[in-house]
């Protein structure tokens, strides 16, 4: 893995192979992520199985990869950001398990597999989500802290991003406004539900790498724009797919035209890229990541 | 408050007023606890209201008081343990909100008030519980750490007590075995669901007070026996009250006689008290607390 990573790092100035980068990092993240899951016998079997099902049923691992790439851009070693990266992914997993519940989106399938409540029942799904959320903090607490960053700062950072004023607040607003979205509601949900996790992924990576205050600020700006671009592009792609259950979903396309949404995504992509100037480390991956997003709707 | 506390501390050798102690500490805990709740405007109003409802609807605040009293027994200042104390109570609140959900115990009333899902709906109850769990870690992260205890240790301690191998595992076992309990199942649920929170309350208080390894061990033993005694006594008291919904509840009285349960509680009470010898600080409150428990079934 290390050899591979080096190979494409050396070719940065010629051409950055983002696909290979994502594949390599995904493997590294999943290796650590799966290790963090409860050992057999350490908890009731059905609970452990439900947690494993939630975490192993895939995804691109974009948030943890962003965390690692932010550490690199801040000139830190990405290995120091591995525990925060896994913490953010565990947190993302728990939000999916709870969002899929009958009392929320009532989704029976996710990425072609049964959702946790469909497979293990509603009570176990609530509890497996709770356990993944708790595990996120246990994993974060394993981050080796040095320099000016403290463990207290890392924990507070993840709590604010994921708590009532972050992802959970975003989910409440999503439920409240799904049927009747306003531009303010769309912005609030984008910033809190999707954006907060992208933002904290980049910030924790930067903090684990002991980024300077200026680098931390630039990576925060990058991640905020990346999060907006990601969500707009997701809404554009979703609009092309028929929803089977017909439930209303909050989408930016309910408040703007497709052309406006494309322009909005392009604007955030440009601003994300601009924020990457003046960072001390390797920004090739972050640059390629946001460019790749835009090609999904090209 | 401080004057009051001093007054009954001076009279320790004559007679310890546990009622006054509990009342004083409860007021102190609630003052800090309510301050930790989301400020108006910091999150969607319904979410903030649901969290406030869950936390303000009472209880004896036994776990946070145990945390403060353990810090005193370890010869630390109890003020240093206030954030861990509030963290444990927030965690306890979230478990009640999720345990009351329709897919779990389906309780509509708690302490004479509507449960969170009965008042705000199921989705908000799941999310308010998630937010309280997250807030527990944010509150814990505010603990001033000094000496040999690190923030990482405090966070890992709370995670292990409350996660898949702790309270959540206990709740899963409670659901699995409620209809058909074995002695092993009763012991597992007692240790994990009730016991883990008592244990971690005492341990975090001791750790915040920079307890020696020996004091930490003694307070752990104390809290484990206190937790058992508490749960056995709770089962004895519950058996005297008719349950309205008729759902099976895991109780030690399904596997032993009332006389045996009383003897079991008395044994744990005695062993809790024994563990209090050789602690460097003031153990009057911890001693009185476990004695008071036993008088509830006298």
């Amino acid at each position: 893995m290390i050899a591979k990573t080096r190979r494409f790092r050396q070719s940065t100035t010629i051409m950055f192979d983002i696909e290979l980068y994502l594949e390599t990092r995904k493997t590294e993240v999943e290796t650590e992520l799966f290790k963090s899951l409860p050992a057999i016998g350490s908890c009731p079997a059905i609970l452990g199985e439900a947690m494993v099902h939630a975490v192993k049923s895939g995804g691109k691992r974009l948030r943890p990869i962003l965390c690692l790439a932010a550490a690199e851009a801040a000139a830190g070693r990405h290995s120091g950001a591995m525990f925060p990266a896994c913490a953010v992914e565990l947190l993302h997993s728990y939000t999916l398990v709870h969002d899929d519940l009958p009392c929320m989106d009532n989704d029976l399938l996710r990425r072609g597999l049964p959702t946790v409540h469909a497979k293990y029942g509603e009570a176990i799904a609530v509890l497996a989500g709770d356990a993944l959320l708790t595990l996120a903090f246990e994993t974060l607490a394993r981050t080796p802290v040095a320099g000016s960053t403290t463990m207290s700062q890392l924990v507070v950072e993840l709590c604010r991003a994921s708590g009532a004023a972050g992802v959970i607040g975003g989910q409440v607003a999503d439920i409240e406004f799904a049927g009747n979205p306003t531009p303010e509601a769309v912005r609030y949900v984008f910033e809190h539900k999707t954006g907060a996790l992208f933002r904290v992924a980049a910030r924790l990576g930067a903090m684990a790498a002991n980024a300077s205050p200026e680098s931390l600020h630039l990576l925060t700006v990058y991640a905020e724009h990346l999060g907006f671009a990601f969500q707009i592009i997701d809404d554009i792609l979703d609009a092309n797919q028929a929803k089977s259950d017909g439930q209303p979903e909050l989408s930016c396309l309910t408040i703007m035209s497709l052309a406006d949404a494309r322009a909005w995504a392009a604007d955030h992509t440009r601003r994300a890229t601009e924020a990457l100037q003046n960072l001390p480390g390797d920004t090739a991956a972050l640059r390629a990541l946001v460019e790749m997003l835009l090609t999904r709707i090209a």
Side-chain angles (χ1 to χ4, degrees), chain A residues 69-140:
Chain A
E72 286 171 359
R77 287 176 57 235
H78 79 266
S79 65
M82 186 51 89
F83 289 122
C86 290
V88 169
E89 186 66 6
L90 289 166
L91 210 125
H92 178 55
S93 291
Y94 120 76
T95 64
L96 299 182
V97 174
H98 282 188
D99 285 4
D100 286 339
L101 286 169
C103 64
M104 307 241 204
D105 296 347
N106 196 19
D107 278 322
L108 295 174
L109 284 174
R110 175 171 291 279
R111 302 184 192 117
L113 293 171
T115 50
V116 176
H117 74 88
K119 188 161 179 179
Y120 298 96
E122 211 174 324
I124 296 296
V126 170
L127 293 165
D130 293 345
L132 289 169
L133 169 53
T134 309
L135 187 59
F137 285 102
E138 187 172 344
T139 304
L140 182 66

Side-chain angles (χ1 to χ4, degrees), chain A residues 37-229:
Chain A
L37 290 167
I40 291 172
S42 69
C43 69
I46 190 173
L47 176 63
E49 284 167 28
M51 291 169 75
V52 168
H53 180 76
V55 171
K56 289 205 174 172
S57 48
K60 297 182 290 292
R61 315 297 185 191
L62 219 51
R63 291 155 193 82
I65 293 172
L66 170 59
C67 182
L68 300 177
E72 286 171 359
R77 287 176 57 235
H78 79 266
S79 65
M82 186 51 89
F83 289 122
C86 290
V88 169
E89 186 66 6
L90 289 166
L91 210 125
H92 178 55
S93 291
Y94 120 76
T95 64
L96 299 182
V97 174
H98 282 188
D99 285 4
D100 286 339
L101 286 169
C103 64
M104 307 241 204
D105 296 347
N106 196 19
D107 278 322
L108 295 174
L109 284 174
R110 175 171 291 279
R111 302 184 192 117
L113 293 171
T115 50
V116 176
H117 74 88
K119 188 161 179 179
Y120 298 96
E122 211 174 324
I124 296 296
V126 170
L127 293 165
D130 293 345
L132 289 169
L133 169 53
T134 309
L135 187 59
F137 285 102
E138 187 172 344
T139 304
L140 182 66
R142 296 171 65 197
T143 310
V145 284
S148 56
T149 303
T150 65
M151 180 53 66
S152 173
Q153 287 171 333
L154 295 180
V155 173
V156 168
E157 192 76 34
L158 190 57
C159 289
R160 295 208 174 142
S162 61
V167 174
I168 298 172
Q171 173 68 3
V172 171
D174 197 356
I175 294 169
E176 279 189 318
F177 292 104
N180 186 25
T182 61
E184 293 72 31
V186 168
R187 177 168 280 276
Y188 187 89
V189 173
F190 278 24
E191 267 176 10
H192 291 77
K193 195 175 163 179
T194 329
L197 267 192
F198 275 83
R199 189 176 184 274
V200 79
R203 284 179 64 84
L204 290 177
M207 289 164 80
N210 269 304
S212 68
E214 197 195 354
S215 294
L216 180 61
H217 171 72
L218 290 171
L219 285 163
T220 306
V221 172
Y222 166 84
E224 285 172 354
H225 290 299
L226 180 74
F228 261 97

Side-chain angles (χ1 to χ4, degrees), chain A residues 7-17 282 284:
Chain A
R7 184 145 35 87
F8 61 68
R9 262 200 203 152
Q10 283 164 357
S11 66
T12 295
T13 49
I14 307 165
M15 194 185 75
F16 186 83
D17 189 341
D282 188 348

